[in-house]
Amino acid sequence: MLSVVQNTPKGYRHTTAANDALSMRFWDQREFINFVQKAPPSRQTYWIISAYPRAYYYLGFISVAEGRYQDAIGYLDSGAALEPTNPKFKTEKAHALSKSGRFSEALAALDGIAGPGPHVSEDMFAMVLRSRGASLIELGDLDAAEKAFNGSLEYAPDNKVALNELRYIRQLAASGQKASGAIFSLVTQGEGPLVCKSCEAKNVSGTFGITGDRRSFTCDKCKLGHSNEVAPKKSWRFWK
């Protein structure tokens, strides 16, 4: 994919016109159908597979998975410059920022996606609202988070992630606790081997605690075993 983005043509354009026809680049058939249904072209339109922006997106996606969040943001910003109307770059950038603990910036990254439209399907907008809700939870704005998740259910009524997060919000409100991300810093790669303080499991998902100068890691399985605590959220699956 690096070789693909390195060969991105100068003056790359999403849409070109020739002989009274339009050629437009989309990632898949669903994107193309969503566009023509919501903004019917006035002339014949041809769908061309988008390559260069998509390569930037997947480089960003892989970088997030590997914990290289700043690299991911660079790739995603470059892809967004080629396709500024594609919301995928904003949602994955929000993901990278959230994994870095930069929740206010993650929320701001989603600005400008106001609702479904020619470039935003209903499923995609539901994902945007879930992403917003996730950042709002971490920022402690539970009312706004609840509104975002409820709004997402208008477009994806049976989404299990949204339903689970609404239960989580109710747990937080009832217990008076803060979101786990406000208590525990996010674990990122490069901090050495992760060993659960309770069961000594290594390199598993969990939360990294800071109390004064003491730092400790607890895996999700052991965290769930503490009945007096709110169950931790699954790490950033809100865009799925």
Side-chain angles (χ1 to χ4, degrees):
M1 282 186 288
L2 282 172
S3 62
V4 174
V5 299
Q6 289 167 357
N7 288 306
T8 302
K10 292 183 178 180
Y12 175 89
R13 296 173 63 187
H14 175 267
T15 303
T16 56
N19 301 322
D20 294 326
L22 292 177
S23 294
M24 303 183 72
R25 291 172 170 80
F26 294 93
W27 291 24
D28 54 40
Q29 188 178 37
R30 288 186 302 174
E31 279 192 5
F32 176 67
I33 292 173
N34 182 73
F35 179 85
V36 297
Q37 286 180 339
K38 294 175 179 174
S42 59
R43 47 182 154 168
Q44 190 169 11
T45 301
Y46 297 98
W47 164 35
I48 301 175
I49 291 290
S50 174
Y52 304 106
R54 188 163 51 170
Y56 273 115
Y57 173 83
Y58 286 119
L59 284 168
F61 182 90
I62 292 169
S63 296
V64 170
E66 294 177 346
R68 296 182 292 108
Y69 305 124
Q70 201 55 46
D71 288 345
I73 290 168
Y75 287 129
L76 295 165
D77 283 345
S78 295
L82 298 178
E83 276 189 8
T85 57
N86 194 324
K88 289 186 176 70
F89 296 106
K90 291 185 176 183
T91 56
E92 192 61 22
K93 182 177 180 178
H95 181 193
L97 290 165
S98 179
K99 294 287 282 185
S100 304
R102 298 156 64 181
F103 302 112
S104 294
E105 293 175 71
L107 195 60
L110 300 169
D111 286 350
I113 309 177
H119 297 283
V120 184
S121 68
E122 282 72 16
D123 285 344
M124 173 58 70
F125 189 59
M127 183 177 72
V128 169
L129 291 173
R130 292 195 297 272
S131 299
R132 286 178 179 165
S135 293
L136 288 164
I137 288 176
E138 301 297 351
L139 292 169
D141 193 343
L142 298 185
D143 289 340
E146 183 176 28
K147 182 178 180 180
F149 282 113
N150 278 324
S152 76
L153 291 173
E154 295 180 15
Y155 302 99
D158 299 319
N159 185 270
K160 292 181 179 179
V161 172
L163 294 170
N164 287 338
E165 288 309 300
L166 287 168
R167 283 193 289 270
Y168 178 71
I169 289 169
R170 289 193 290 271
Q171 283 183 297
L172 288 176
S175 66
Q177 294 186 43
K178 295 180 180 180
S180 60
I183 301 172
F184 298 95
S185 66
L186 293 174
V187 177
T188 59
Q189 292 188 8
E191 298 188 46
L194 302 177
V195 181
C196 176
K197 66 179 182 180
S198 299
C199 68
E200 299 186 349
K202 295 181 180 180
N203 297 320
V204 293
S205 62
T207 50
F208 190 69
I210 300 177
T211 305
D213 294 329
R214 300 182 61 186
R215 293 146 58 94
S216 61
F217 177 73
T218 304
C219 73
D220 286 341
K221 183 176 180 180
C222 289
K223 183 72 175 172
L224 283 168
H226 297 296
S227 59
N228 61 331
E229 296 183 12
V230 176
K233 304 188 309 306
K234 297 298 182 182
S235 176
W236 252 88
R237 294 191 300 182
F238 307 103
W239 61 95
K240 299 296 184 186

